[in-house]
Amino acid sequence: MKTVTFRNGVTVPALGMGTWNVGDTRAQRHNEIESLRAGLEAGLRVIDTAEMYGSGRSEALVGEAVADCRDDVFLVSKVLPSNASYEGALKACQRSLRYLGVERLDLYLLHWVGGEPLDETIRAFEALKQDGLIGAWGVSNFDVDDMEEVHALSEHCVANQILYSLEHRGVEFDLLPYDRQEGVVTMAYSPLGQGGALLRHPALAQVAARHETSLGPATAAQIALAFVLNRDNVLAIPKAGQVEHVRLNLAAQEIVLQVEDLAVLERAF
Ligand code: NAP
């Protein structure tokens, strides 16, 4: 399993699991919990959530899924910019911990830029770290200029969670190399294009037809994921509410894209 290492020395698998929209539908709850547990049982560690997701419903569902295996999980949550004043971020973190039913987050992110002054948010993150309530902190949806602002204030940011998929490759030219050079792990969200048009692109079917995994012929989604996982310093966090999808995402790690495959994808996207 490919891994990424944060600048605080913590190493995790480069494939994690997202949880946007989970916990929203009662009928889906069981499958969503089973999906997270199937991923953990197969060796995944990172689960990404946020106070914004269902106003705590996602965090509560994640808490239920990890209740008997907390120590095996690398838990990530995010504070809303509007809650990211010094006092606001301290309170928001406590609230997230309560929803999750845990004593500590492994990584706490500012969900997007704006809102309260950045130096206040960072001061709160450092206080939370000092008190042992978070292991490390980072940001999300920050571009290169925003990251420069972070670095002018602190050297402790360990991650930047951004939109990165075959459909959104602009960051390959500036942000991905910048983050790598600064020792900041890039967390790629929506790597499957939210299960939409990306997965129907003929180039993905063409590349998939050349690959097999232990589960059978490769799928378009597995190729989209393999493309993101192919990048150094990138941790992909696809969301899967079905166990079968988690298994397919795990098997995507077996795919080694060849020069010819990358050429097809380069031409198409
Ligand atoms: P995504 O992971 O690109 O796509 C999720 C969709 O793909 C779901 O409909 C899922 O279906 C489907 N899927 C999963 N595995 C599949 C497979 N092997 N084959 C076919 N379809 C598959 O989209 P996302 O949820 O937007 O992004 C992932 C995570 O990133 C989020 O859940 C969240 O944790 C995080 N995120 C962060 C931000 C931010 O601002 N920081 C923004 C967006 C997302 P099923 O659910 O039915 O399995």
Side-chain angles (χ1 to χ4, degrees):
M1 208 176 259
K2 191 183 156 200
T3 58
V4 292
T5 300
F6 294 101
R7 70 189 331 158
N8 61 354
V10 176
T11 297
V12 294
L15 178 63
M17 295 181 281
T19 64
W20 190 16
N21 294 327
V22 310
D24 287 354
T25 318
R26 193 172 284 271
Q28 283 301 318
R29 243 188 114 70
H30 175 74
N31 283 345
E32 289 164 350
I33 290 178
E34 286 308 304
S35 299
L36 292 173
R37 292 182 67 89
L40 294 173
E41 275 157 27
L44 300 186
R45 291 288 168 265
V46 177
I47 299 183
D48 177 76
T49 182
E51 64 167 337
M52 188 191 87
Y53 301 165
S55 301
R57 281 195 298 274
S58 167
E59 290 179 326
L61 184 138
V62 170
E64 206 176 317
V66 308
D68 63 356
C69 56
R70 165 65 186 102
D71 293 344
D72 298 333
V73 187
F74 185 92
L75 274 180
V76 185
S77 193
K78 313 185 198 79
V79 58
L80 282 165
S82 53
N83 288 339
S85 63
Y86 180 77
E87 290 296 336
L90 299 185
K91 281 195 192 125
C93 183
Q94 296 276 6
R95 208 163 43 234
S96 287
L97 292 173
R98 253 194 332 272
Y99 276 122
L100 282 156
V102 300
E103 290 178 352
R104 177 179 180 274
L105 288 169
D106 298 289
L107 177 60
Y108 198 34
L109 308 178
L110 174 59
H111 209 144
W112 61 86
V113 74
E116 302 294 335
L118 191 55
D119 59 335
E120 266 202 50
T121 311
I122 292 177
R123 208 156 52 79
F125 284 169
E126 287 295 339
L128 289 165
K129 206 164 70 171
Q130 195 72 32
D131 292 346
L133 299 186
I134 65 172
W137 61 266
V139 293
S140 176
N141 296 302
F142 273 41
D143 64 17
V144 171
D145 289 348
D146 302 325
M147 289 308 287
E148 280 173 350
E149 205 182 319
V150 172
H151 287 125
L153 293 166
S154 169
E155 288 176 357
H156 297 159
C157 173
V158 307
N160 184 16
Q161 185 176 123
I162 56 163
L163 175 60
Y164 178 50
S165 71
L166 275 166
E167 282 178 322
H168 296 278
R169 296 186 56 196
V171 292
E172 289 175 6
F173 299 98
D174 54 2
L175 191 53
L176 293 191
Y178 179 88
D179 279 348
R180 192 175 51 219
Q181 184 193 307
E182 294 298 322
V184 171
V185 166
T186 297
M187 294 178 72
Y189 73 69
S190 308
L192 302 175
Q194 303 192 319
L198 171 66
L199 303 188
R200 295 189 292 276
H201 197 292
L204 287 180
Q206 189 186 334
V207 174
R210 293 209 278 254
H211 290 271
E212 287 263 338
T213 73
S214 51
L215 296 182
T219 67
Q222 287 178 314
I223 300 300
L225 192 52
F227 177 84
V228 171
L229 289 171
N230 194 40
R231 288 263 154 193
D232 276 352
N233 194 48
V234 171
L235 163 54
I237 48 165
K239 175 255 174 183
Q242 303 174 48
V243 172
E244 182 54 18
H245 281 165
V246 173
R247 298 223 166 95
L248 287 163
N249 294 345
L250 280 155
Q253 298 176 108
E254 299 165 20
I255 297 170
V256 181
L257 293 173
Q258 305 297 313
V259 176
E260 315 84 85
D261 301 322
L262 292 170
V264 171
L265 298 174
E266 288 289 340
R267 274 197 301 278
F269 296 97

